[in-house]
Amino acid sequence: MTTTHRTDGGIDDPNDGGPEGNGPGGDDPGTGAPPDDGTDEEISREEADELIQEIERRRSLRGAAAVAVAAIGIAFSVFQLFLAARSFTFTVWLPTVEFAGISLAPWQVSLQLLQANAIHVAFALVLTFLLFPVSTGDGFVAQAFGRIAPAASRRLGEENPVTRLLERGRAGVRWAFLDPDRDRVAPVDLVFIVAAFLSAFYFLTEFAEIQNMRVFGVDSGRPITEVYAFLQPLLGGVPFVSEYSYAMILGVTGVLLVLEATRRTLGLPLMIIVATFIVYARWGYLISTGTPFLGLLAIPELTWPDIVQNLWYNTENGVFGIPVTVSVSFIYIFILFGSFLEMSGAGQWFIDLAYALTGGRKGGPAKASILASGFMGTISGSSIANTVTTGAFTIPLMKRSGYSPEFSGAVEASASSGGQILPPVMGAAAFLMVQYTATPFADIIIIATIPAIVFFFGVWVMVHLKAVQAGIGGVAGEDTVDLWSHLKRGWFYLVPIALLLYYLIIERLSVSRSAWFTLVALVGLIALVSAYSEETRLRLLAVFAAIVGLELASYAVAGVNVVGLVTGSGGAGLPPAEAVSALFRGIEWYAMLAGVLTLLSKPDLDASLLDLNPSVRDAAETVGDRTGRDLEDSQPFKLGTFVVTSMEQGARTAVPVVVAVAAAGIIPGVISVSGLGPNLTSLLLALSGGSIVIMLLVTAVSSIILGMGMPTTVTYIILISMLATPLVEFGIPLLAAHLFILYFGVIADITPPVAVAAYAASGVAKSDPFETGVKAFSLSLNKAIVPFAFVLAPGIVLLREKANAADLPLRERYRVIGFQDLAELSYSIPEIVVPVVGVFLGVIALGATVIGTLYTRVGRTGRAVFALSSLLLMAPRLLSETVFDALGLVGVSVSVDALLLDLTLRAIGFALFAALTVRNRREAESEGSGGDEAGAESESPEIASGVDSA
C-alpha cells in the first residue's frame, strides 16, 4: 500500500475518496493511490535512451559503426569549436615528416561563409545516414514491394524462374536498403555518405567556379568529365553527363540528400511540404493570374538551373541560407554547451535541486517536475529529450504521490516543452529570431523572460490546484536532499549559466563568443572540481598559483603569454594593470591546465564533489574493458572521456536540428526566388478582411497544425517566411510577432493527436498517449493565451513604440524598454505593470477554470465566470477587437480610447476574479468548519465530490 505524504506532517488515509476514480490517483476505485503494480517504478537510463531512440527512430549501433559515428561527431564538434573560437579563419597544426623526425606545421584555413555552411550540412548529412535507417520495412512502400515475391510464389510456384528471380531481387533490396532492427548501416547509406562528402569537397576545392556561376549561371560550370579526367573514358560519350555541369548534378544530388535526410529524421510530411515548394517553384507559373485569390500565387517561370543555383549555391536563401548560417554561428555551439553541462552531471543536480526546493510542498513532486524541466530545458532545448530524461525520475514520484499516470505525464510534457521559450538559452528558434529580426540575443532574453515566467507559473498554479483538489502532499524525505548541503556540493553548476548571462547582457558580446567563453570556462571549472579533494586542494592551489605567476611575469616582461615567449614572439612588457587584464582573459585556460596537471600527479584521485553523467562513466568503462586496463578509475582519463563524450553527444543532438534548418531554408528560398512574398502578404491580408483577430487566429492555428510532429525550428522558419510580414502590417511589433509564432510552434509539441512530447511522457508514465496529450494541452492553455496578450499589449514583453514611430518603417517602430521607461510612471504603470499583473492573475483564474478548484470546488457557473475574468485580465483587447469586428460587419464604426478601454476591461476582470475568489474562500472555510463539527469522515468535500476536471 502506498501512502501519500502531506505537507502538514500527516498521512492521507488511502481510503479517502478522490476526484480521479475514487482516489487521488484515479486508477483503482476505493484507494487513495495508484495500484502497486510496478508501473510507478522509475525507468532505467537504458530504458529512457531506448524510448528516445524509438521516438526519434535512431539506430543503436555497435562496433566499427559506433566508432565511426563517434569519430565523425567529435570531428564535427571540433570544427564548430574552431569556428566559434576563430571565426572562419583559423590555423590547424598538422604533423609533418621531416628528416629528423615528426614535427608540427601550421596549416592556415580560411573559409567563406558558403563553404563553412556546406561543411556544416555535410557533417549532419553523413551522421544522419549513419544514425537513421533508410527503412525498417514497416512503411507502405516497403510492404507493397515485399508482397510482390510472395504473390508470384502463390501464382507461379516457388520453383518458377520468375519467382526465384523476384525472391533474389527481394533479398538484394532488403540487404541494400532495409534495417528492420535499426542496428546496421545499409549499403545505400554508404552511397549517400559518399555523395554528401563529394558535395562538401566540391565547395572546398572549386569555390572559384562557384563564384563564377553566380554571374554566368550554374550551367557555366564544367562537366564531371573535366573535373575528374579519369571518368572521361567511362562517361565521356553519355549525353546526360556532357549536357549538365558537375555543379548542376551535385546541386540536384545535394537537395535530394537533404530531402532524404529530412524524411529520416523529421518524417515524411515535412519532406513532402518542402518538395511541394520546390515543385511550385518550377511550375507555379501555370497558375492563372486571373483566378480569384489563387491568382496572387502566380509566379514567373523558373528553370531547373535557376532553382538549383538559388537553393544550393546561395547563402541568402535556400539550403545554406540564413537558418544554416545561424546554426553554424549560434545554434551548434549552444547545443554543445548544453551537452557539456549535461555530461558534467548538472542535469541530475538540477533535478535534485528542484526537489530540495519544492518537494515537501503540497503537490511537491509535480512542482519539482516543473522546476526540473525548466532547469533541464536550459540545458537541452529539446522537448522530447527533456521530457524523457527528467520524466524518468519525476513521473514515478508524481504517480506515487497520488497523481494519475496521465496527469503526471502531462505535467512533465507541458513543462518540458517550455524549455524552448525559457531564457537564458531557449531553443534553436530563438537564435533564428536574432538573425531574422537583427536583434541582439540579450534583447531576445529580455522580451522572452516575462512570458516564460508566466507560463511556468501557470502550470505551477494548475498542479497546485490539482493537489488541493486531490489532497496530495509532498514527497517522502528519502526522495529529497537537504537544500543547503546540495548547494554546497554542486554550486559550481550555476557558474556557467551566470557567466553566460554576464557575457550576453553585461558585456553584450556576440552569441557565439559568449557561448565559446562560457564553454571554455565550464571545462576549466570541471577540471578544477575533478582535481579537488581534501588531499589535493593545497597542491591544486599551488599549481594554479604557479601557472598564474608565470603567465603574469611573461606578460610583464614580454607582453605575451608563456607560449608566445617560448616561440619568440615577445616584445615590450606590459604595465602591471594591463598585464593583469591580459591575464584574466585566459583565466579559464589556466584553471583547466591546473586541474589537468594536478590530476596527472594523482590519477587515482576520487573527485568527491563531481558526479559525471552515467554516459561518461559507461564510455570510460567500455574503453577500459576493450583495452584491458582499469581506466574507469583514472580521473584524468575520465576527464578526457567527459570532453570527447560531450562533443559526440552534442553532434548527435545537433543532427536533427541542422537537417531541419537546412530543409526549412528551402521554403523561404523558394518564396524569395519566385517573388511570392509580397503576393502572399496581400493574399493573407485579403483573407483576414482587415481583422487582426482573424489574422492572429490563422497564425495560431497554422502554427499548431504545421508544428504537429515537426520541430519548433521548422515551424518557426516556415511561418515567419509567410506570416511575419502580414502580422507586422497590422501594427504588431516585429519581435512580438516572431515570439507569437514561436510560442504556438512550441504548443504543437503537446497538441493532440501528434503531441510528440506528450507521447514521450506517456511512454515513461505508462499512460494513454492521447489522454496524456489532452491533459498536457489543458495545462498549457496559458501558453496559448499569453501570446495574444503580448502582441496586443507589447508592454508585457517590454516593448515600447519609438517617439518617431510614424516616420519609421513598420519593422523598426518598437524598441526594448530601458530603466528610464520604467521610471516614467505615466507610461510604465498602465502599459507594463497593469498588463503584467493582469496576466499573472489571469493564469490563476485560468487554473481555477481548468482544474475546477481554487480553495474548494468551483461549480460550472463559477468556472465560466473565472474563464471570462481570465480573458479580461490577460487579453482584454482580444475581446474588444472581436466585438468591433462584429460591429464592422453590420456597418457600425466605434472609436474609443484604446488604453482607457483596456484598463477598464482589466478592472472588470479583476473585480470578477476578486469576487469569485472571496466567495470560494468563504465556501472553503464554511466547509472546513462543517467538517470539524461532523468529524473527520472526509478530509475535504471537494475530494468526495468525485469531480475530475483536469
Side-chain angles (χ1 to χ4, degrees), residues 414 455 459 462 744 747 750 774-787 843 846 849-850 874:
S414 179
F455 165 67
V459 182
M462 290 196 189
F744 279 99
I747 291 175
I750 42 104
V774 171
K775 290 182 181 293
F777 182 76
S778 67
L779 290 174
S780 298
L781 272 179
N782 72 84
K783 199 193 298 180
I785 300 176
V786 167
V843 296
L846 184 64
T849 303
V850 173
M874 297 176 74

Side-chain angles (χ1 to χ4, degrees), residues 716-947:
Y716 172 79
I717 293 171
I718 295 174
L719 290 179
I720 61 105
S721 303
M722 297 188 292
L723 298 175
T725 301
L727 289 175
V728 173
E729 292 284 341
F730 274 101
I732 294 173
L734 177 66
L735 289 174
H738 280 249
L739 200 62
F740 183 89
I741 293 172
L742 172 60
Y743 262 65
F744 279 99
V746 171
I747 291 175
D749 283 349
I750 42 104
T751 304
V754 180
V756 289
Y759 176 78
S762 72
V764 179
K766 300 179 177 61
S767 61
D768 178 76
F770 184 80
E771 187 176 350
T772 304
V774 171
K775 290 182 181 293
F777 182 76
S778 67
L779 290 174
S780 298
L781 272 179
N782 72 84
K783 199 193 298 180
I785 300 176
V786 167
F788 287 96
F790 64 64
V791 296
L792 298 173
I796 295 174
V797 286
L798 305 180
L799 292 175
R800 183 179 187 180
E801 193 173 40
K802 296 178 181 177
N804 60 336
D807 302 325
L808 297 174
L810 288 171
R811 294 172 58 91
E812 302 173 11
R813 291 185 177 180
Y814 286 82
R815 60 175 175 81
V816 178
I817 67 168
F819 288 107
Q820 69 277 10
D821 299 300
L822 295 176
E824 187 183 334
L825 299 183
S826 61
Y827 162 77
S828 61
I829 290 179
E831 299 276 8
I832 299 175
V833 176
V834 171
V836 169
V837 172
V839 167
F840 276 97
L841 292 177
V843 296
I844 298 176
L846 184 64
T849 303
V850 173
I851 302 300
T853 295
L854 192 59
Y855 294 100
T856 185
R857 184 178 66 85
V858 179
R860 290 184 178 180
T861 303
R863 281 181 162 194
V865 180
F866 264 125
L868 177 61
S869 70
S870 175
L871 181 60
L872 291 174
L873 284 166
M874 297 176 74
R877 191 180 163 194
L878 182 63
L879 182 60
S880 62
E881 289 289 343
T882 303
V883 173
F884 294 157
D885 289 342
L887 292 175
L889 293 177
V890 296
V892 178
S893 178
V894 180
S895 178
V896 295
D897 185 314
L899 180 59
L900 180 60
L901 178 61
D902 183 88
L903 294 175
T904 303
L905 292 176
R906 291 185 195 273
I908 295 173
F910 177 73
L912 291 174
F913 173 77
L916 286 172
T917 301
V918 171
R919 177 184 175 184
N920 189 262
R921 180 65 179 266
R922 288 175 178 172
E923 289 177 357
E925 291 173 351
S926 174
E927 292 169 353
S929 61
D932 291 338
E933 296 173 1
E937 295 180 2
S938 176
E939 184 180 347
S940 59
E942 71 270 16
I943 297 177
S945 66
V947 176

Side-chain angles (χ1 to χ4, degrees), residues 99-247:
F99 179 75
I102 298 177
S103 64
L104 293 178
W107 176 42
Q108 189 76 13
V109 178
S110 182
L111 298 174
Q112 299 295 320
L113 177 60
L114 182 59
Q115 292 175 308
N117 289 5
I119 296 172
H120 184 77
V121 172
F123 265 120
L125 290 177
V126 170
L127 287 173
T128 295
F129 300 136
L130 288 173
L131 290 172
F132 296 86
V134 62
S135 175
T136 56
D138 55 359
F140 171 80
V141 176
Q143 291 181 351
F145 275 103
R147 286 192 288 266
I148 295 176
S153 176
R154 289 192 299 269
R155 291 195 174 205
L156 305 176
E158 294 184 1
E159 300 301 323
N160 188 284
V162 175
T163 302
R164 296 173 65 181
L165 181 63
L166 289 174
E167 286 289 352
R168 289 178 182 176
R170 179 190 184 194
V173 169
R174 290 181 63 86
W175 172 78
F177 291 92
L178 296 191
D179 180 19
D181 298 323
R182 292 185 299 172
D183 59 358
R184 75 180 186 100
V185 178
V188 70
D189 295 317
L190 301 178
V191 175
F192 290 161
I193 289 171
V194 171
F197 171 79
L198 288 176
S199 67
F201 187 73
Y202 179 75
F203 278 99
L204 290 175
T205 58
E206 306 293 340
F207 193 70
E209 183 173 273
I210 293 173
Q211 289 178 312
N212 290 332
M213 289 190 303
R214 293 180 179 177
V215 179
F216 301 106
V218 74
D219 285 335
S220 64
R222 296 169 296 163
I224 189 173
T225 51
E226 288 188 24
V227 178
Y228 301 108
F230 66 90
L231 294 176
Q232 177 65 35
L234 296 175
L235 303 176
V238 179
F240 178 84
V241 173
S242 60
E243 181 180 353
Y244 293 100
S245 66
Y246 182 51

Side-chain angles (χ1 to χ4, degrees), residues 1 49 74 121 157 180 238 288 348 351 454 487 504 508 526 572 581 608 636 647 662 693 734 790-791 866 912 937:
M1 180 177 68
D49 291 341
I74 293 169
V121 172
V238 179
S288 173
Q348 187 59 50
I351 293 174
V454 170
L487 285 173
L504 285 171
R508 297 190 77 85
I526 296 303
S581 177
S608 57
M647 289 196 290
V693 175
L734 177 66
F790 64 64
V791 296
F866 264 125
L912 291 174
E937 295 180 2

Side-chain angles (χ1 to χ4, degrees), residues 276-282 284-285 287 293-300 302 317 666-684 718 721-723 725-726:
T276 301
F277 269 85
I278 297 175
V279 172
Y280 169 76
R282 177 66 182 88
Y285 71 94
I287 299 175
F293 289 113
L294 287 180
L296 293 172
L297 300 179
I299 59 174
L302 299 171
N317 301 291
I666 292 176
I667 294 174
V670 169
I671 292 174
S672 174
V673 71
S674 63
L676 176 63
N679 291 348
L680 189 61
T681 299
S682 301
L683 175 62
L684 291 171
I718 295 174
S721 303
M722 297 188 292
L723 298 175
T725 301

Side-chain angles (χ1 to χ4, degrees), residues 297-369:
L297 300 179
I299 59 174
E301 183 176 0
L302 299 171
T303 64
W304 282 121
D306 294 333
I307 295 170
V308 169
Q309 181 168 346
N310 281 279
L311 295 185
W312 191 251
Y313 296 103
N314 192 355
T315 56
E316 296 179 3
N317 301 291
V319 171
F320 306 123
I322 290 177
V324 168
T325 300
V326 173
S327 180
V328 171
S329 303
F330 307 149
I331 296 175
Y332 193 99
I333 190 67
F334 267 91
I335 290 176
L336 204 54
F337 165 71
S339 177
F340 271 88
L341 196 58
E342 185 176 357
M343 289 299 113
S344 70
Q348 187 59 50
W349 186 85
F350 278 124
I351 293 174
D352 292 338
L353 176 63
Y355 275 89
L357 287 169
T358 63
R361 297 175 179 268
K362 183 181 290 292
K367 293 175 180 177
S369 171

